[in-house]
Amino acid sequence: MWRRIFLLTIAILCFSLISWTQAQKQKIVRVGVYENPPKIYTDSNGTVTGFWPAILNDIAQKENWQIEWVHGTWDEEVAYLQANKIDIMPDMGWTEERSQEFTFSNDTVLSSWSRLYVKKGSPIQTILDLDGKKVAGLSGSVNFDGPDGIKDLATRLGIHCTFVGLDSYMAIFEALQNKEVDAGVINKEFGDLNESQFSVTRTSIIIQPMNLRFAFTKDGTSTPYLVQTVNADMQELKNNSNSAYYKAIDQYLGEKPPKTIVTIIPTWVYILFLNGALIILFLVVVSITARRQIRQQTAKLWKSEARNRALVENDPDEIFRLSRGGILLDYHSGLASSLYSLSEDLLGKSLLELLPKELAEATLNHVEKAIEANATQVFEYSVPSGGEVQDYESRFSPNGKDEVIVIVRDITVRKQAERKLVESEKRYQTLTSVVPVGIFHTNKDGETTFVNPTWCQISGMSEEEALGEGWLQAVHPDDRERLLAGWQESTEEMTTSTADYRFMHPDGSIAWVIGQAVPEVNSENEVVGYVGTITDITERKKIEDLKAEVIRAESADKLKSAFLATMSHELRTPLNSIIGFTGLLLQKLVGPLNGEQEKQLSMVQGSAYHLLELINDVLDISKIEAGQIVVFRENFDVGTAIQKSVANILPMAEEKNLKVITTITPEEIQIYSDRRRLEQILINLLNNAVKFTERGEIRLGCKVEEDWLHIWVSDTGIGIKPEDRQILFRPFQQIDIGISRQYEGTGLGLSICKRLVELLGGQIQVESEWGKGSTFSFTLPMRSENNEN
C-alpha cells in the first residue's frame, strides 16, 4: 500500500515539474482584431479591448500565452485565417459552410443577432419595403453574405435590392447618415453602443440569430492544441458565475449575471445538495473514492445550471412559469425589449388580472390542455399596440402536474411576411388568370406543373391534360420533333428557349404561338425548373400570309403593267403608220378618191386616232404603275397651258353647242412643274366634261392661294351618284360599265389624272350632284422638289 502511494507521489511530482518547465516558455498566439465595439475593438490608447479580448486575456494568463494582435478589416482577417497568418479569429458565426473551411470551438460563446437600421423618418418598416432600395452590410459577415443573411432572405422572398459591402459597421452607420444607402445591417451589440451617435433608427426587421464562437486555422500546426485548450477553458469559465466570461458580458454587453445563485436554482436543487452533503459526510467515513464521484456529479450539476442560465440569459423570448390555475409564478424578460411591462409585485397574481379577458381565458385553456395531454401546446394570437397589431406565439410545455413553462415569441415580422406572401400569391393567381398570354411552369426535367387559363384557351387543352408531358399531345405533329430538340438544347445549356409552333385543337383548327421559357434557379444557382409564356400569333401569321400574297400580287401587277407598256408601245408603231398612210390617201397625194372611198378612209383614220388615244392611256397608266414616268419640271405660264388645253377640246364642245368659259386669277401665273403633264390632266378632265354633258356649259377656273395652285373643271352634265364616286379613280372602270356603253373610253382618264396629280405633289377631288353636273378640282404646289427627276 505504501509503495503505491510513493509511486503515485513521484508521478505527480514529475508531472508538475514538466508542467512548470513548459509554463516558463510563453507560447505566441496570433489573434485577429477588427473594429466591432463593444465585442472587439482598439481603444484610444491603442489597446485591444472588448468582450472577446477580455476572455482571451484571461485564457492567455492561465495558459502562459503571449497574444500577438493582428489588425485588419473583417474580410482581411478571414483571409489571414485562411492563409494561416493568424491562429484564432474571435466573434465568428458558425455555419455549415464555414465549418468546412475553419475549425470552431465546441460551445457557443455568445448568441447574437442583427437588426436593420434606416435613416430617421424612413418609410421602411418591413423587409418587403426593401424592394428597389440600396442596403449596406459588413462584407463577408454571416448576417450579410451568409445563409439566412439579408442577401439570402431577399432572394428567397423575391425582393430586388442593391447590396453594398462595407469594411466596418461604423462605415455602415456613416453611409446611412449621409443617405448613401437606404438601410444597413448592424449586429445588436454594435448598434446598442453606437446608434445614438447617428440620425438612425432601428426597424423591427431582425436577421437570424448567430452562434458566435472562436475560429481556428483548419490545418494549422497549433490548431489541435488551441482548440483543446480553448474548449476546456471555456467550459471552466461558463461553470463559474464569477469568471471573466460573465464579467465581460456584464462590462461590455450590459448583461448582468444574477446576484446570487439562490434566485436561480430551484428548490429541488437545494434538496439534492442537502442529500448530497449527507451522502458525502457518510461516504467520507466509508470511502475517498465515493467522495470523488459525488464531487464529480456535483460539478456536472453546476455545469448544467450554468449552461441553462447562459441559454436563458441570451434567449430573446419571454419565459413565464404559470400554475395550473393561471397564477404567475416567475418570468424572464428576453434580451430584446419586453413584450409586457412586468414588475416583481405582479408575481402571484392571476392571468385574469393581467391580461384581457378573452386572451386570459384562451391562455388558461392551453395551460389545461398542456398539463392534461402532457404535451406542448402552441397558441398564436394578436394584440393591438399603439395603433398597430402585434403577433405572438406562445408555447405551453408541462412542468409537472401543476405548472407549465410558457415561451412567448414576437412573430409580428414573420406574420407580416406571411401575409405579404399570401397577398402576393393572390395577386399572382389573379394576374395569371387574366393576362392575355399563356403562362406555364415546369420542373427541371421539363414536366409541366402549372398552366394558367389563357394557356388552356390558346392550346385547346384542360389543365389536367396539360400536366406532365401531356401538353405535347396538342402540339402539331410536324412541330413536335423540332420543338423537343430546341427544348433539350436549352435545358442542357441552361439558356432561354424560344420557338414558334402550332397547337392543333380538337376541332381541327390551328393556333400559332410563340413560346418562351427561362430557367428558374435557387440560391445555389441550380436550375429547379422553367417559367414560360406562350403568345397567340395566329392573326399575325394570317397577316404575314396576306402580306406575302399582296407582295406576289403587286409583283404580278407590275409585270402586267410592264407588259402593257411594252405592248402599247409596239401597237403604236403600226397605228402611226395607218394614220400616216390614210392621211396621204385623204390628201389625194397618190391619186383622186371617189366620195365613198374618202368616207371610208376618214372612218379608218378616225378609228385609228381613237385607238391611238386608248393605247396612249394604257401606256400612261402602265408607265405610272411601273414607276417609269419621268417628270420634267420647268417654269411656265399656267394661262398659256390652259388656253392650249381648251383649244384642244373646243371643236368637240362646239359640235355639241356647249359653251367653254375660263377664269384665271391672276391673269399671269408662273408655276414650277411639268407643263406636259399639267396639259394632259386638263385635257382629260375637259374631255370628260364634254363627253358627259349634252347641254349647258363647261367652266374651267384657276387661282393661287398661298403656295398652291387651285384648278377646277365644272360641267352641267349627268353628274355622279354618291355610291359610284369610290370607283371614279380606279383604272379600267367606268360608272356605266354594267348598264350600257353609251360613252366610249378605257376608263383610265381619271385614274391617270389622279396618279399624275399625286406625282406632281398635289391632290384631286370631285363634287357632284346626280343629274346636275360635276366639278373636278386639283391642287399643285407652286414650287416643289418632290419627285423631281
Side-chain angles (χ1 to χ4, degrees), residues 549-577:
E549 290 294 333
V550 169
I551 291 172
R552 286 194 290 271
E554 288 177 347
S555 177
D557 190 54
K558 287 182 179 180
L559 289 174
K560 177 265 296 180
S561 298
F563 171 75
L564 288 175
T566 303
M567 291 305 298
S568 299
H569 181 73
E570 294 298 325
L571 289 171
R572 284 202 303 180
T573 301
L575 274 176
N576 285 329
S577 298

Side-chain angles (χ1 to χ4, degrees), residues 656-660 693-698 716:
K656 298 179 72 171
N657 295 319
L658 298 175
K659 292 182 179 180
V660 179
T693 304
E694 297 302 325
R695 58 181 178 275
E697 61 185 18
I698 308 297
T716 57

Side-chain angles (χ1 to χ4, degrees), residues 366 370 375-380 392-397 414:
H366 283 84
T376 299
Q377 302 293 316
V378 180
F379 173 41
E380 293 185 0
Y392 300 105
E393 176 190 82
S394 293
R395 291 181 172 270
F396 300 82
S397 299
R414 191 192 81 192

Side-chain angles (χ1 to χ4, degrees), residues 240-252:
N240 183 358
S241 61
N242 293 318
S243 68
Y245 171 71
Y246 293 104
K247 290 179 180 178
I249 291 177
D250 183 24
Q251 179 179 355
Y252 295 103

Side-chain angles (χ1 to χ4, degrees), residues 500-558:
D500 289 4
Y501 54 95
R502 292 166 289 177
F503 280 118
M504 180 175 285
H505 292 173
D507 61 2
S509 61
I510 298 295
W512 274 96
V513 300
I514 179 171
Q516 296 185 82
V518 296
E520 181 184 19
V521 298
N522 59 16
S523 58
E524 283 75 34
N525 203 33
E526 298 172 337
V527 174
V528 295
Y530 289 83
V531 178
T533 63
I534 60 171
T535 303
D536 192 335
I537 58 172
T538 306
E539 292 302 320
R540 192 186 81 184
K541 284 288 186 181
K542 290 179 180 178
I543 292 173
E544 289 174 355
D545 293 340
L546 287 174
K547 285 182 178 179
E549 290 294 333
V550 169
I551 291 172
R552 286 194 290 271
E554 288 177 347
S555 177
D557 190 54
K558 287 182 179 180

Side-chain angles (χ1 to χ4, degrees), residues 30 37 56 62 68 137 140-141 215 225 241 368 381 404 407 419 421 440 447 453 514 560 732-733 751 768:
R30 299 166 299 173
L56 281 170
K62 176 182 177 182
E68 180 180 303
S141 63
Y225 161 73
S241 61
E368 187 67 27
Y381 57 96
V404 293
I407 300 176
R419 285 192 284 267
L421 286 174
F440 63 90
E447 297 173 341
I514 179 171
K560 177 265 296 180
F732 303 104
Q733 291 197 23
S751 177
S768 182

Side-chain angles (χ1 to χ4, degrees), residues 620-633:
D620 284 342
I621 196 67
S622 300
K623 284 185 176 181
I624 291 172
E625 291 181 348
Q628 297 175 356
I629 289 291
V630 179
V631 176
F632 295 97
R633 285 188 170 83

